[in-house]
Amino acid sequence: NAGVTQTPKFQVLKTGQSMTLQCAQDMNHEYMSWYRQDPGMGLRLIHYSVGAGITDQGEVPNGYNVSRSTTEDFPLRLLSAAPSQTSVYFCASSHGGTGVYGYTFGSGTRLTVV
Amino acid sequence: AQTVTQSQPEMSVQEAETVTLSCTYDTSESNYYLFWYKQPPSRQMILVIRQEAYKQQNATENRFSVNFQKAAKSFSLKISDSQLGDTAMYFCAFMKQGETSGSRLTFGEGTQLTVNP
């Protein structure tokens, strides 16, 4: 049981480059989310999905795109990387929307944009 | 919009002693959930404890317990018999109840706890 798998674990990008952060879960969770973690700011929600084909914006969506074509996968795309997107990114999933079952987080991706 | 505030950026405690981490939140909702997450140096986010707002009884999980004061919008975490493995960043988080809100956790800034031998 792998849980939530994020790849890559580390990435360095040049300003203006694009890339996709991958997130996959094998628990058949309906809910999936992307957060970014910055020092002194906790985790902030970027985008989330309540099921395949359904996505919505979170608190800090600018500069990021998502899609959810399957229940298992929820990739996060950076279209044109900027230094302000240097951060640690976490993907999380949950079975149902009540929080009763808790959230499972991936191990994070540390992204540096130079 | 909800906000979560952790006013203690850093705390330290001696091994085997008790420590309390503070968290306050602001919301107009009456039904919600509160969580404490632990993030050790491995970076993994680990759920420590959760509290449903409609329950008056404080949640407990082994050495971890909360003091939930709904009227004061306060949700503190008490760690008893602190262990070296408790050294981590601790995040308080809020989630509004509801199917469409199920993926929207609002986190505090975090408290770095160090347990000293």
Side-chain angles (χ1 to χ4, degrees):
Chain A
N1 188 356
V4 177
T5 302
Q6 286 185 239
T7 56
K9 294 192 183 306
F10 301 93
Q11 183 70 49
V12 179
L13 286 179
K14 293 182 178 179
T15 297
Q17 286 185 320
S18 63
M19 80 161 294
T20 299
L21 305 185
Q22 301 291 345
C23 176
Q25 53 91 7
D26 61 358
M27 299 170 286
N28 203 31
H29 284 174
E30 299 96 331
Y31 288 74
M32 297 186 75
S33 315
W34 277 102
Y35 293 84
R36 58 176 289 172
Q37 180 179 11
D38 301 292
M41 302 185 75
L43 282 76
R44 292 179 293 168
L45 181 65
I46 304 171
H47 285 286
Y48 67 100
S49 169
V50 299
I54 306 170
T55 63
D56 205 347
Q57 297 181 349
E59 183 184 357
V60 288
N62 292 339
Y64 307 95
N65 279 353
V66 293
S67 61
R68 182 100 180 267
S69 57
T70 67
T71 299
E72 294 78 19
D73 300 300
F74 191 44
L76 178 71
R77 281 181 284 275
L78 283 70
L79 301 179
S80 178
S84 61
Q85 294 179 305
T86 292
S87 187
V88 179
Y89 292 84
F90 286 95
C91 179
S93 73
S94 173
H95 177 65
T98 65
V100 173
Y101 304 103
Y103 287 82
T104 302
F105 282 80
S107 57
T109 296
R110 181 176 293 278
L111 174 68
T112 302
V113 183
V114 297
Chain B
Q2 287 70 229
T3 60
V4 178
T5 302
Q6 294 177 247
S7 59
Q8 306 152 315
E10 297 179 353
M11 294 191 71
S12 62
V13 64
Q14 292 298 122
E15 195 174 7
E17 293 187 345
T18 296
V19 63
T20 299
L21 279 57
S22 301
C23 172
T24 58
Y25 58 95
D26 188 22
T27 184
S28 58
E29 302 292 330
S30 56
N31 298 316
Y32 50 86
Y33 298 87
L34 294 163
F35 306 85
W36 278 99
Y37 280 89
K38 168 185 177 181
Q39 186 181 43
S42 67
R43 206 168 65 192
Q44 186 69 44
M45 293 287 288
I46 302 166
L47 177 64
V48 175
I49 199 166
R50 77 170 67 84
Q51 174 81 40
E52 292 90 340
Y54 63 85
K55 291 187 177 179
Q56 293 187 337
Q57 186 174 5
N58 289 325
T60 62
E61 288 287 343
N62 301 315
R63 298 183 296 107
F64 298 88
S65 61
V66 298
N67 184 4
F68 174 48
Q69 302 290 328
K70 190 172 184 179
K73 297 180 181 175
S74 172
F75 184 61
S76 60
L77 175 69
K78 185 172 81 171
I79 305 174
S80 303
D81 186 25
S82 297
Q83 300 175 0
L84 296 178
D86 294 334
T87 292
M89 180 73 83
Y90 286 82
F91 290 100
C92 179
F94 171 101
M95 190 188 79
K96 186 172 64 173
Q97 185 174 349
E99 288 300 314
T100 59
S101 305
S103 287
R104 302 180 69 98
L105 283 167
T106 300
F107 286 86
E109 305 90 340
T111 297
Q112 176 63 49
L113 176 67
T114 301
V115 180
N116 299 308

